[in-house]
Short mmCIF file of all heavy atoms in Angstrom, two decimals:
data_model
loop_
_atom_site.label_atom_id
_atom_site.label_comp_id
_atom_site.label_asym_id
_atom_site.label_seq_id
_atom_site.Cartn_x
_atom_site.Cartn_y
_atom_site.Cartn_z
N GLN B 45 0.86 10.46 12.78
CA GLN B 45 0.72 9.01 12.72
C GLN B 45 -0.10 8.53 13.90
O GLN B 45 0.18 8.90 15.04
CB GLN B 45 2.12 8.37 12.75
CG GLN B 45 2.13 6.85 12.81
CD GLN B 45 3.52 6.30 13.12
OE1 GLN B 45 4.36 6.97 13.70
NE2 GLN B 45 3.76 5.07 12.71
N TYR B 46 -1.11 7.72 13.63
CA TYR B 46 -1.93 7.15 14.69
C TYR B 46 -1.10 6.22 15.56
O TYR B 46 -0.28 5.44 15.06
CB TYR B 46 -3.10 6.40 14.08
CG TYR B 46 -3.85 5.50 15.04
CD1 TYR B 46 -4.81 6.02 15.90
CD2 TYR B 46 -3.59 4.14 15.09
CE1 TYR B 46 -5.50 5.20 16.78
CE2 TYR B 46 -4.27 3.31 15.96
CZ TYR B 46 -5.22 3.84 16.80
OH TYR B 46 -5.90 3.03 17.67
N ILE B 47 -1.34 6.29 16.88
CA ILE B 47 -0.66 5.38 17.79
C ILE B 47 -1.63 4.39 18.43
O ILE B 47 -1.50 3.17 18.30
CB ILE B 47 0.07 6.16 18.91
CG1 ILE B 47 1.10 7.13 18.33
CG2 ILE B 47 0.77 5.18 19.87
CD1 ILE B 47 1.72 8.04 19.37
N ILE B 48 -2.64 4.92 19.11
CA ILE B 48 -3.52 4.07 19.90
C ILE B 48 -4.74 4.86 20.31
O ILE B 48 -4.72 6.10 20.27
CB ILE B 48 -2.76 3.55 21.14
CG1 ILE B 48 -3.43 2.32 21.76
CG2 ILE B 48 -2.56 4.65 22.17
CD1 ILE B 48 -2.56 1.63 22.80
N HIS B 49 -5.82 4.19 20.68
CA HIS B 49 -6.95 4.88 21.27
C HIS B 49 -7.66 3.95 22.24
O HIS B 49 -7.48 2.71 22.19
CB HIS B 49 -7.92 5.40 20.20
CG HIS B 49 -8.78 4.34 19.55
ND1 HIS B 49 -8.31 3.50 18.56
CD2 HIS B 49 -10.08 4.01 19.75
CE1 HIS B 49 -9.28 2.70 18.17
NE2 HIS B 49 -10.37 2.97 18.87
N GLY B 50 -8.47 4.54 23.14
CA GLY B 50 -9.19 3.75 24.11
C GLY B 50 -10.35 4.52 24.72
O GLY B 50 -10.42 5.75 24.60
N LEU B 51 -11.25 3.78 25.38
CA LEU B 51 -12.42 4.38 26.00
C LEU B 51 -12.25 4.46 27.52
O LEU B 51 -12.27 5.53 28.09
CB LEU B 51 -13.67 3.59 25.66
CG LEU B 51 -14.99 4.13 26.23
CD1 LEU B 51 -15.30 5.51 25.67
CD2 LEU B 51 -16.13 3.16 25.94
N LYS B 52 -12.11 3.33 28.15
CA LYS B 52 -11.93 3.32 29.61
C LYS B 52 -11.01 2.22 30.07
O LYS B 52 -10.45 2.30 31.16
CB LYS B 52 -13.27 3.21 30.32
CG LYS B 52 -14.10 1.99 29.93
CD LYS B 52 -15.43 1.99 30.66
CE LYS B 52 -16.28 0.79 30.26
NZ LYS B 52 -17.60 0.79 30.97
N ASN B 53 -10.84 1.22 29.26
CA ASN B 53 -9.92 0.14 29.63
C ASN B 53 -8.54 0.46 29.10
O ASN B 53 -8.36 1.15 28.12
CB ASN B 53 -10.40 -1.19 29.04
CG ASN B 53 -11.75 -1.59 29.60
OD1 ASN B 53 -12.02 -1.43 30.79
ND2 ASN B 53 -12.61 -2.09 28.74
N ASN B 54 -7.55 -0.09 29.77
CA ASN B 54 -6.19 0.08 29.29
C ASN B 54 -6.03 -0.66 27.97
O ASN B 54 -6.63 -1.72 27.75
CB ASN B 54 -5.20 -0.44 30.32
CG ASN B 54 -5.29 0.34 31.63
OD1 ASN B 54 -5.76 1.47 31.66
ND2 ASN B 54 -4.84 -0.28 32.70
N GLU B 55 -5.25 -0.09 27.09
CA GLU B 55 -5.05 -0.66 25.78
C GLU B 55 -3.56 -0.79 25.50
O GLU B 55 -2.75 0.01 25.96
CB GLU B 55 -5.68 0.21 24.69
CG GLU B 55 -7.17 0.45 24.84
CD GLU B 55 -8.02 -0.77 24.50
OE1 GLU B 55 -7.47 -1.71 23.88
OE2 GLU B 55 -9.21 -0.78 24.86
N THR B 56 -3.22 -1.81 24.73
CA THR B 56 -1.82 -2.02 24.34
C THR B 56 -1.77 -2.49 22.90
O THR B 56 -2.60 -3.30 22.48
CB THR B 56 -1.14 -3.07 25.25
OG1 THR B 56 -1.10 -2.57 26.59
CG2 THR B 56 0.29 -3.34 24.78
N ASN B 57 -0.84 -1.97 22.16
CA ASN B 57 -0.56 -2.48 20.82
C ASN B 57 0.95 -2.54 20.63
O ASN B 57 1.72 -2.37 21.60
CB ASN B 57 -1.27 -1.66 19.74
CG ASN B 57 -0.81 -0.22 19.67
OD1 ASN B 57 0.28 0.12 20.15
ND2 ASN B 57 -1.63 0.62 19.09
N GLU B 58 1.36 -2.76 19.41
CA GLU B 58 2.79 -2.95 19.16
C GLU B 58 3.59 -1.67 19.35
O GLU B 58 4.81 -1.72 19.46
CB GLU B 58 3.01 -3.49 17.74
CG GLU B 58 2.60 -2.54 16.63
CD GLU B 58 1.10 -2.58 16.34
OE1 GLU B 58 0.37 -3.29 17.08
OE2 GLU B 58 0.68 -1.91 15.39
N MET B 59 2.91 -0.55 19.38
CA MET B 59 3.62 0.72 19.51
C MET B 59 3.68 1.21 20.94
O MET B 59 4.69 1.78 21.36
CB MET B 59 2.96 1.80 18.65
CG MET B 59 3.10 1.60 17.16
SD MET B 59 2.37 2.95 16.23
CE MET B 59 3.47 4.31 16.66
N ALA B 60 2.56 1.07 21.68
CA ALA B 60 2.49 1.72 22.97
C ALA B 60 1.39 1.12 23.83
O ALA B 60 0.63 0.27 23.37
CB ALA B 60 2.22 3.22 22.77
N SER B 61 1.33 1.60 25.06
CA SER B 61 0.24 1.27 25.97
C SER B 61 -0.47 2.56 26.37
O SER B 61 0.18 3.62 26.48
CB SER B 61 0.76 0.55 27.22
OG SER B 61 1.29 -0.71 26.90
N LEU B 62 -1.76 2.45 26.59
CA LEU B 62 -2.57 3.59 27.01
C LEU B 62 -3.23 3.24 28.34
O LEU B 62 -3.96 2.24 28.42
CB LEU B 62 -3.62 3.92 25.96
CG LEU B 62 -4.64 5.00 26.31
CD1 LEU B 62 -3.94 6.34 26.59
CD2 LEU B 62 -5.65 5.17 25.17
N ILE B 63 -2.96 4.05 29.35
CA ILE B 63 -3.55 3.87 30.66
C ILE B 63 -4.52 5.01 30.91
O ILE B 63 -4.11 6.18 30.88
CB ILE B 63 -2.47 3.85 31.76
CG1 ILE B 63 -1.35 2.85 31.42
CG2 ILE B 63 -3.11 3.54 33.12
CD1 ILE B 63 -1.81 1.42 31.32
N ILE B 64 -5.79 4.68 31.13
CA ILE B 64 -6.82 5.69 31.38
C ILE B 64 -7.27 5.54 32.82
O ILE B 64 -7.58 4.44 33.27
CB ILE B 64 -8.00 5.52 30.41
CG1 ILE B 64 -7.51 5.61 28.96
CG2 ILE B 64 -9.07 6.58 30.68
CD1 ILE B 64 -8.58 5.30 27.93
N THR B 65 -7.32 6.65 33.55
CA THR B 65 -7.74 6.59 34.94
C THR B 65 -9.20 6.17 35.05
O THR B 65 -9.97 6.31 34.09
CB THR B 65 -7.54 7.94 35.63
OG1 THR B 65 -8.28 8.95 34.92
CG2 THR B 65 -6.06 8.32 35.66
N GLU B 66 -9.57 5.70 36.22
CA GLU B 66 -10.92 5.18 36.40
C GLU B 66 -11.98 6.24 36.15
O GLU B 66 -13.05 5.96 35.62
CB GLU B 66 -11.07 4.61 37.81
CG GLU B 66 -12.36 3.82 38.02
CD GLU B 66 -12.37 3.08 39.33
OE1 GLU B 66 -11.32 2.97 39.97
OE2 GLU B 66 -13.46 2.60 39.72
N ASP B 67 -11.69 7.49 36.55
CA ASP B 67 -12.65 8.58 36.31
C ASP B 67 -12.55 9.14 34.90
O ASP B 67 -13.30 10.05 34.54
CB ASP B 67 -12.49 9.69 37.35
CG ASP B 67 -11.13 10.37 37.27
OD1 ASP B 67 -10.35 10.08 36.33
OD2 ASP B 67 -10.84 11.20 38.14
N ARG B 68 -11.60 8.65 34.13
CA ARG B 68 -11.39 9.01 32.73
C ARG B 68 -10.97 10.46 32.53
O ARG B 68 -11.00 10.96 31.41
CB ARG B 68 -12.62 8.70 31.89
CG ARG B 68 -13.07 7.27 31.92
CD ARG B 68 -13.78 6.76 30.67
NE ARG B 68 -14.69 7.72 30.08
CZ ARG B 68 -14.59 8.15 28.82
NH1 ARG B 68 -13.62 7.72 28.04
NH2 ARG B 68 -15.47 9.00 28.35
N LYS B 69 -10.57 11.12 33.56
CA LYS B 69 -10.21 12.52 33.42
C LYS B 69 -8.75 12.71 33.02
O LYS B 69 -8.32 13.85 32.75
CB LYS B 69 -10.50 13.26 34.73
CG LYS B 69 -11.99 13.36 35.02
CD LYS B 69 -12.27 14.21 36.25
CE LYS B 69 -13.77 14.34 36.47
NZ LYS B 69 -14.10 15.20 37.63
N SER B 70 -8.00 11.65 32.99
CA SER B 70 -6.62 11.76 32.53
C SER B 70 -6.16 10.42 32.00
O SER B 70 -6.79 9.37 32.26
CB SER B 70 -5.70 12.23 33.65
OG SER B 70 -5.63 11.27 34.67
N SER B 71 -5.08 10.47 31.24
CA SER B 71 -4.52 9.24 30.68
C SER B 71 -3.01 9.39 30.52
O SER B 71 -2.48 10.51 30.60
CB SER B 71 -5.17 8.91 29.34
OG SER B 71 -4.96 9.94 28.40
N THR B 72 -2.36 8.27 30.31
CA THR B 72 -0.91 8.27 30.10
C THR B 72 -0.58 7.35 28.94
O THR B 72 -1.04 6.20 28.89
CB THR B 72 -0.17 7.78 31.35
OG1 THR B 72 -0.47 8.64 32.45
CG2 THR B 72 1.34 7.79 31.11
N LEU B 73 0.18 7.87 28.02
CA LEU B 73 0.71 7.06 26.93
C LEU B 73 2.08 6.57 27.35
O LEU B 73 2.92 7.37 27.78
CB LEU B 73 0.82 7.88 25.64
CG LEU B 73 1.40 7.13 24.44
CD1 LEU B 73 0.37 6.15 23.89
CD2 LEU B 73 1.86 8.10 23.35
N ILE B 74 2.31 5.28 27.22
CA ILE B 74 3.59 4.70 27.62
C ILE B 74 4.29 4.08 26.42
O ILE B 74 3.73 3.20 25.75
CB ILE B 74 3.40 3.63 28.71
CG1 ILE B 74 2.71 4.24 29.94
CG2 ILE B 74 4.74 3.01 29.10
CD1 ILE B 74 2.31 3.22 30.99
N LEU B 75 5.49 4.57 26.16
CA LEU B 75 6.38 3.94 25.19
C LEU B 75 7.36 3.12 26.01
O LEU B 75 8.22 3.68 26.68
CB LEU B 75 7.10 4.98 24.35
CG LEU B 75 6.24 6.03 23.66
CD1 LEU B 75 7.11 7.02 22.89
CD2 LEU B 75 5.24 5.38 22.72
N PRO B 76 7.27 1.81 26.03
CA PRO B 76 8.00 1.01 27.02
C PRO B 76 9.51 1.08 26.90
O PRO B 76 10.20 1.05 27.92
CB PRO B 76 7.48 -0.41 26.77
CG PRO B 76 6.91 -0.39 25.40
CD PRO B 76 6.41 1.00 25.17
N HIS B 77 10.03 1.17 25.71
CA HIS B 77 11.48 1.23 25.51
C HIS B 77 11.76 2.27 24.43
O HIS B 77 11.88 1.95 23.25
CB HIS B 77 12.04 -0.14 25.11
CG HIS B 77 11.70 -1.24 26.05
ND1 HIS B 77 12.29 -1.38 27.29
CD2 HIS B 77 10.81 -2.25 25.95
CE1 HIS B 77 11.76 -2.44 27.90
NE2 HIS B 77 10.87 -2.98 27.12
N ALA B 78 11.84 3.51 24.85
CA ALA B 78 11.96 4.60 23.88
C ALA B 78 13.26 4.51 23.08
O ALA B 78 14.33 4.18 23.63
CB ALA B 78 11.88 5.94 24.60
N THR B 79 13.16 4.82 21.81
CA THR B 79 14.33 4.89 20.94
C THR B 79 14.44 6.31 20.38
O THR B 79 13.51 7.11 20.50
CB THR B 79 14.23 3.90 19.78
OG1 THR B 79 13.22 4.35 18.87
CG2 THR B 79 13.90 2.50 20.26
N LEU B 80 15.57 6.59 19.76
CA LEU B 80 15.77 7.92 19.19
C LEU B 80 14.70 8.24 18.16
O LEU B 80 14.31 9.41 17.99
CB LEU B 80 17.16 8.02 18.57
CG LEU B 80 18.34 7.81 19.52
CD1 LEU B 80 19.66 7.92 18.75
CD2 LEU B 80 18.31 8.80 20.67
N ARG B 81 14.20 7.23 17.46
CA ARG B 81 13.17 7.44 16.45
C ARG B 81 11.82 7.81 17.04
O ARG B 81 10.90 8.17 16.29
CB ARG B 81 13.04 6.20 15.58
CG ARG B 81 14.24 5.94 14.67
CD ARG B 81 14.08 4.67 13.90
NE ARG B 81 14.09 3.48 14.76
CZ ARG B 81 13.93 2.25 14.32
NH1 ARG B 81 13.75 2.01 13.04
NH2 ARG B 81 13.96 1.23 15.15
N ASP B 82 11.68 7.69 18.35
CA ASP B 82 10.43 8.09 19.00
C ASP B 82 10.40 9.58 19.30
O ASP B 82 9.39 10.09 19.81
CB ASP B 82 10.24 7.30 20.30
CG ASP B 82 9.98 5.82 20.04
OD1 ASP B 82 9.26 5.52 19.06
OD2 ASP B 82 10.49 4.99 20.80
N THR B 83 11.47 10.29 19.02
CA THR B 83 11.47 11.75 19.19
C THR B 83 10.44 12.34 18.24
O THR B 83 10.51 12.16 17.03
CB THR B 83 12.86 12.32 18.90
OG1 THR B 83 13.78 11.89 19.92
CG2 THR B 83 12.83 13.85 18.87
N ALA B 84 9.45 13.05 18.82
CA ALA B 84 8.33 13.53 18.02
C ALA B 84 7.44 14.40 18.91
O ALA B 84 7.65 14.50 20.12
CB ALA B 84 7.50 12.37 17.47
N VAL B 85 6.44 15.02 18.29
CA VAL B 85 5.38 15.70 19.04
C VAL B 85 4.23 14.71 19.18
O VAL B 85 3.77 14.14 18.19
CB VAL B 85 4.91 16.98 18.34
CG1 VAL B 85 3.77 17.62 19.11
CG2 VAL B 85 6.07 17.95 18.18
N TYR B 86 3.77 14.52 20.41
CA TYR B 86 2.70 13.57 20.70
C TYR B 86 1.43 14.33 21.04
O TYR B 86 1.42 15.18 21.92
CB TYR B 86 3.12 12.65 21.86
CG TYR B 86 4.16 11.65 21.44
CD1 TYR B 86 5.48 12.03 21.29
CD2 TYR B 86 3.82 10.33 21.17
CE1 TYR B 86 6.46 11.13 20.87
CE2 TYR B 86 4.78 9.41 20.76
CZ TYR B 86 6.10 9.82 20.61
OH TYR B 86 7.05 8.92 20.19
N TYR B 87 0.37 13.99 20.34
CA TYR B 87 -0.92 14.66 20.50
C TYR B 87 -1.93 13.73 21.17
O TYR B 87 -2.12 12.60 20.73
CB TYR B 87 -1.49 15.09 19.16
CG TYR B 87 -0.66 16.09 18.39
CD1 TYR B 87 0.20 15.69 17.38
CD2 TYR B 87 -0.76 17.46 18.66
CE1 TYR B 87 0.95 16.61 16.66
CE2 TYR B 87 -0.02 18.38 17.94
CZ TYR B 87 0.84 17.94 16.95
OH TYR B 87 1.57 18.86 16.23
N CYS B 88 -2.56 14.24 22.19
CA CYS B 88 -3.66 13.55 22.86
C CYS B 88 -4.96 14.23 22.42
O CYS B 88 -5.08 15.45 22.52
CB CYS B 88 -3.46 13.66 24.37
SG CYS B 88 -4.84 13.09 25.38
N ILE B 89 -5.91 13.47 21.93
CA ILE B 89 -7.14 14.02 21.37
C ILE B 89 -8.32 13.25 21.93
O ILE B 89 -8.26 12.02 22.05
CB ILE B 89 -7.13 13.89 19.83
CG1 ILE B 89 -5.92 14.61 19.24
CG2 ILE B 89 -8.42 14.43 19.23
CD1 ILE B 89 -5.66 14.24 17.79
N VAL B 90 -9.38 13.98 22.30
CA VAL B 90 -10.61 13.30 22.68
C VAL B 90 -11.64 13.53 21.59
O VAL B 90 -11.75 14.63 21.05
CB VAL B 90 -11.15 13.75 24.05
CG1 VAL B 90 -10.18 13.37 25.15
CG2 VAL B 90 -11.44 15.23 24.07
N ARG B 91 -12.37 12.50 21.27
CA ARG B 91 -13.32 12.57 20.17
C ARG B 91 -14.37 11.49 20.33
O ARG B 91 -14.06 10.38 20.72
CB ARG B 91 -12.57 12.36 18.85
CG ARG B 91 -13.41 12.56 17.61
CD ARG B 91 -12.71 12.07 16.37
NE ARG B 91 -12.81 10.64 16.23
CZ ARG B 91 -12.38 9.96 15.18
NH1 ARG B 91 -11.80 10.60 14.19
NH2 ARG B 91 -12.49 8.65 15.12
N PRO B 92 -15.64 11.82 20.02
CA PRO B 92 -16.65 10.77 20.08
C PRO B 92 -16.34 9.67 19.08
O PRO B 92 -15.95 9.93 17.95
CB PRO B 92 -17.94 11.51 19.69
CG PRO B 92 -17.66 12.94 19.95
CD PRO B 92 -16.20 13.12 19.68
N SER B 93 -16.50 8.45 19.50
CA SER B 93 -16.27 7.33 18.60
C SER B 93 -17.23 7.40 17.42
O SER B 93 -18.39 7.80 17.56
CB SER B 93 -16.46 6.02 19.35
OG SER B 93 -16.51 4.94 18.44
#
Side-chain angles (χ1 to χ4, degrees):
Chain B
Q45 175 191 24
Y46 166 82
I47 301 173
I48 199 169
H49 75 281
L51 181 63
K52 57 182 179 180
N53 297 319
N54 298 337
E55 302 287 345
T56 296
N57 63 20
E58 65 278 4
M59 291 183 67
S61 294
L62 174 60
I63 309 298
I64 302 174
T65 58
E66 190 170 348
D67 63 7
R68 302 209 321 122
K69 292 186 177 182
S70 66
S71 60
T72 301
L73 179 74
I74 301 172
L75 307 178
H77 305 287
T79 71
L80 299 179
R81 290 177 295 178
D82 292 321
T83 292
V85 178
Y86 287 77
Y87 297 98
C88 171
I89 302 166
V90 295
R91 187 191 80 174
S93 168

